[in-house]
Amino acid sequence: RYLIISLYGIYGGYQGFFTLFNYVLLCYLVLNCVKEEHLDKLIHSLLLSAGIIATYGIFQHFGFDFLTETSTPDPARITSTLGNPIFVGAYLVLVLPVAITYFLSKDVYGLKRWLLAVLILILAAALVFTFTRAAWLGFGSALIFAFFFLRHEIYKYRRTLMVLLIILLVSFLIYFLPTRVQSPYSLLKRASSIFIPSQGGGRLALWRNVLAVIKARPILGSGPNTFSVVTSLGGTGGTHNEILNIGATLGLFGLAAYLAVIIVLFFRG
């Protein structure tokens, strides 16, 4: 029924079958074509592009928006070059652990390590300025795993990491607390709303509809990127929950495959 949308995705989303196939193809090419000696160059490119995106987002937060088409109805929430603060948050929460892990690598030292330290501060500041709560939770979860798996490296560079943390905390306390305690973009107010279900923007009701879609099409789902068409809810953002979104659109088989990939990556790296 939704074959064309399943293949190409909805307008503004474009997360249909062809896009998902490209993701798989890109992953395959990276795993099989990028040689170990080229890995540093790949990481450098990733971190450089992330630094540009984050720096532009910070400028944007303070009112210096050079690309007016990226403007958002929420002026304090940065969109950078990605068009949506949620997208920026999701991107940064993927790149920040890479930057931190690379910072802790024994192959990084001297000026390169201090440049990475500055980059981590920039990425962290941009992540805060997205005001995207899911990204904050994701980064917090990543830090927990980092402490578990990289505890020896963290202990080795504990003084440098402590200095970075203090700089970050003091900077945000100075910026946010004096004038923005009651602001809609108060850091404390936004963070505390994570634990208030009524502040979820109607997502709890949205997730109840997801369960109905899964129940109606449990095996193969409604088709990639079709949730908002099937239910007239969610817009291009779908369900605002990746697990539920995959269960609704790709079915329980698709969800099982997705979780299997995560489990394999977690245990085998």
Side-chain angles (χ1 to χ4, degrees):
R1 183 179 178 183
Y2 303 107
L3 177 61
I4 300 299
I5 296 176
S6 294
L7 291 175
Y8 294 97
I10 61 173
Y11 178 77
Y14 307 114
Q15 297 296 310
F17 170 80
F18 292 131
T19 301
L20 297 180
F21 177 78
N22 284 332
Y23 292 156
V24 174
L25 179 61
L26 180 61
C27 180
Y28 175 83
L29 291 174
V30 170
L31 289 175
N32 291 275
C33 298
V34 176
K35 298 180 181 179
E36 188 172 349
E37 58 265 28
H38 297 150
L39 193 58
D40 269 356
K41 293 181 179 179
L42 184 64
I43 294 174
H44 292 165
S45 300
L46 173 67
L47 296 180
L48 177 62
S49 59
I52 293 172
I53 290 171
T55 300
Y56 174 62
I58 292 172
F59 274 104
Q60 193 178 56
H61 174 80
F62 289 103
F64 300 99
D65 193 349
F66 313 112
L67 304 174
T68 54
E69 60 268 25
T70 66
S71 297
T72 170
D74 298 331
R77 298 186 69 186
I78 66 172
T79 60
S80 190
T81 58
L82 302 183
N84 188 309
I86 296 175
F87 298 163
V88 181
Y91 173 73
L92 292 173
V93 83
L94 291 175
V95 177
L96 254 170
V98 176
I100 294 172
T101 304
Y102 197 50
F103 173 85
L104 295 172
S105 170
K106 62 181 179 181
D107 298 323
V108 176
Y109 50 87
L111 178 62
K112 189 175 181 179
R113 187 180 300 280
W114 284 107
L115 289 175
L116 268 171
V118 173
L119 176 64
I120 290 170
L121 289 175
I122 292 173
L123 296 178
L127 178 63
V128 171
F129 289 147
T130 65
F131 286 90
T132 301
R133 294 167 294 187
W136 293 351
L137 285 174
F139 182 59
S141 301
L143 287 180
I144 293 173
F145 281 103
F147 278 116
F148 180 75
F149 288 106
L150 302 172
R151 56 188 179 276
H152 298 299
E153 289 82 359
I154 290 173
Y155 180 79
K156 182 178 179 181
Y157 299 108
R158 62 191 182 280
R159 291 187 179 87
T160 305
L161 291 173
M162 187 62 67
V163 170
L164 292 178
L165 182 60
I166 291 173
I167 292 173
L168 192 63
L169 289 176
V170 170
S171 299
F172 284 118
L173 286 174
I174 292 173
Y175 177 67
F176 281 103
L177 288 185
T179 60
R180 298 192 171 213
V181 174
Q182 299 302 321
S183 165
Y185 298 104
S186 162
L187 182 61
L188 297 178
K189 192 174 182 180
R190 183 69 171 171
S192 64
S193 69
I194 294 174
F195 306 100
I196 305 174
S198 62
Q199 297 293 316
R203 290 175 187 175
L204 293 178
L206 181 64
W207 294 341
R208 284 193 286 268
N209 282 277
V210 174
L211 298 178
V213 173
I214 295 175
K215 184 177 180 180
R217 302 173 178 84
I219 306 301
L220 299 177
S222 60
N225 210 192
T226 59
F227 177 77
S228 61
V229 180
V230 173
T231 63
S232 299
L233 298 170
T236 59
T239 64
H240 295 276
N241 182 303
E242 194 67 17
I243 300 294
L244 292 178
N245 189 66
I246 291 174
T249 58
L250 301 183
L252 297 180
F253 281 171
L255 180 58
Y258 175 78
L259 294 176
V261 170
I262 294 177
I263 292 171
V264 169
L265 288 175
F266 181 78
F267 285 104
R268 298 188 62 180

